[in-house]
């Protein structure tokens, strides 16, 4: 029984080494947002209507 308790964590350690590192996360700067997503993004980051319109115009240009 102790043999299984020893082998199981070793197995999990070996399997977990196959996952990518956090440094491999892609850069999302080139992501294209559709109109609905853009409105949500600008509404969350700005509260005034003129700031929301400026945010949308800056993103589209």
């Amino acid at each position: 029984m102790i043999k299984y308790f020893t082998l199981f964590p070793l197995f999990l350690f070996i399997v977990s080494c196959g996952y990518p590192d956090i440094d491999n996360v892609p850069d999302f700067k080139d992501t294209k947002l559709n109109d609905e997503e853009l409105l949500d993004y600008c509404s969350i980051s700005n509260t005034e209507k003129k700031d929301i319109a400026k945010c949308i115009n800056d993103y589209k240009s």
Side-chain angles (χ1 to χ4, degrees):
M1 190 71 175
I2 291 181
K3 179 172 82 172
Y4 294 117
F5 286 122
T6 307
L7 291 177
F8 186 68
L10 180 64
F11 173 74
L12 288 178
F13 177 73
I14 291 171
V15 170
S16 68
C17 291
Y19 290 104
D21 192 22
I22 194 160
D23 295 333
N24 296 336
V25 174
D27 184 10
F28 293 105
K29 291 182 181 177
D30 296 332
T31 307
K32 301 294 181 195
L33 301 176
N34 63 26
D35 291 338
E36 184 178 331
E37 293 169 337
L38 183 58
L39 183 62
D40 287 342
Y41 170 74
C42 290
S43 296
I44 291 171
S45 60
N46 298 304
T47 55
E48 296 183 25
K49 282 198 173 206
K50 64 180 180 178
D51 291 337
I52 293 172
K54 183 179 183 301
C55 173
I56 292 172
N57 290 334
D58 288 347
Y59 181 81
K60 288 189 176 182
S61 58

